[in-house]
Amino acid sequence: KSGAVMESTAKVKTVVFDKTGTLTTGVFTVAAIETLHETWNDSKILTVAAALEKSSSHPLGAAVLEKAKQEYIEVPVFDDVQTIPGIGVKGVFGGKCYEVCREEDGVTPRLEGASSMLLKENGETLGRILLRDSLRKDAVSAVALLKKMGMRVEMITGDNESAASAV
């Protein structure tokens, strides 16, 4: 808006981007489902995760719901569904407590570059849902231009290291 603002931008040496929604589209898709319990299957994991995520506004939850819709899965209604900021969503169905939560730090998902969430029943892990986000079309050229201008470019994310490295 003013000459002072324009002058100060010339002094910028580092630009920091948030990954999701800035460098990437912020629109996730389910890339894979891993069943980690012998009595469960991918469809049942997706059904329960979708039921929990039905009331969530998180982009990962939206991807789970979209996948359930594509698979024509009837999503049941859970009781006492609660969102736990930064952790996940939990709820009760058939007297059992279910939880969809972020993967513990330091665990690398089996699908390189994927974000992951776990499905648990009464604390026992039943499965993992792996999700991917796509890079924005102009992200690579924008970062390259900033680097060419001599700027240092950094990225912050709440995602796992594998997903961050893929960007």
Side-chain angles (χ1 to χ4, degrees), residues 61-96:
V64 169
L65 286 167
E66 180 59 31
K67 179 69 172 175
K69 181 180 172 184
Q70 291 169 3
E71 301 286 327
Y72 301 101
I73 290 175
E74 189 174 324
V75 179
V77 175
F78 276 38
D79 297 320
D80 196 28
V81 177
Q82 300 172 11
T83 298
I84 306 152
I87 305 290
V89 183
K90 68 179 183 176
V92 177
F93 187 77
K96 296 179 180 177

Side-chain angles (χ1 to χ4, degrees), residues 15-55:
V15 177
V16 180
F17 290 103
D18 179 34
K19 179 183 81 72
T20 305
T22 306
L23 295 175
T24 64
T25 63
V27 179
F28 289 84
T29 56
V30 174
I33 299 173
E34 297 177 353
T35 303
L36 304 174
H37 191 278
E38 61 193 32
T39 62
W40 283 68
N41 59 40
D42 292 0
S43 179
K44 193 172 177 183
I45 288 168
L46 183 59
T47 301
V48 172
L52 290 168
E53 294 289 1
K54 197 187 305 190
S55 63

Side-chain angles (χ1 to χ4, degrees), residues 3-155:
V5 170
M6 295 306 288
E7 265 182 50
S8 67
T9 58
K11 297 176 185 176
V12 172
K13 300 292 181 217
T14 302
V15 177
V16 180
F17 290 103
D18 179 34
K19 179 183 81 72
T20 305
T22 306
L23 295 175
T24 64
T25 63
V27 179
F28 289 84
T29 56
V30 174
I33 299 173
E34 297 177 353
T35 303
L36 304 174
H37 191 278
E38 61 193 32
T39 62
W40 283 68
N41 59 40
D42 292 0
S43 179
K44 193 172 177 183
I45 288 168
L46 183 59
T47 301
V48 172
L52 290 168
E53 294 289 1
K54 197 187 305 190
S55 63
S56 172
S57 61
H58 196 280
L60 297 180
V64 169
L65 286 167
E66 180 59 31
K67 179 69 172 175
K69 181 180 172 184
Q70 291 169 3
E71 301 286 327
Y72 301 101
I73 290 175
E74 189 174 324
V75 179
V77 175
F78 276 38
D79 297 320
D80 196 28
V81 177
Q82 300 172 11
T83 298
I84 306 152
I87 305 290
V89 183
K90 68 179 183 176
V92 177
F93 187 77
K96 296 179 180 177
C97 182
Y98 293 93
E99 177 183 6
V100 172
C101 58
R102 62 184 281 166
E103 186 100 35
E104 290 84 10
D105 291 335
V107 176
T108 303
R110 295 178 191 219
L111 187 61
E112 192 64 32
S115 300
S116 61
M117 57 172 51
L118 298 177
L119 174 66
K120 297 181 178 185
E121 176 189 73
N122 296 328
E124 182 181 0
T125 301
L126 304 172
R128 177 185 290 125
I129 299 175
L130 302 168
L131 304 106
R132 282 213 169 127
D133 188 6
S134 348
L135 202 57
R136 285 187 179 272
K137 291 177 184 172
D138 57 353
V140 173
S141 60
V143 170
L145 178 62
L146 291 169
K147 286 183 175 182
K148 186 177 179 181
M149 294 169 59
M151 293 188 193
R152 187 172 129 211
V153 179
E154 298 289 335
M155 178 182 69

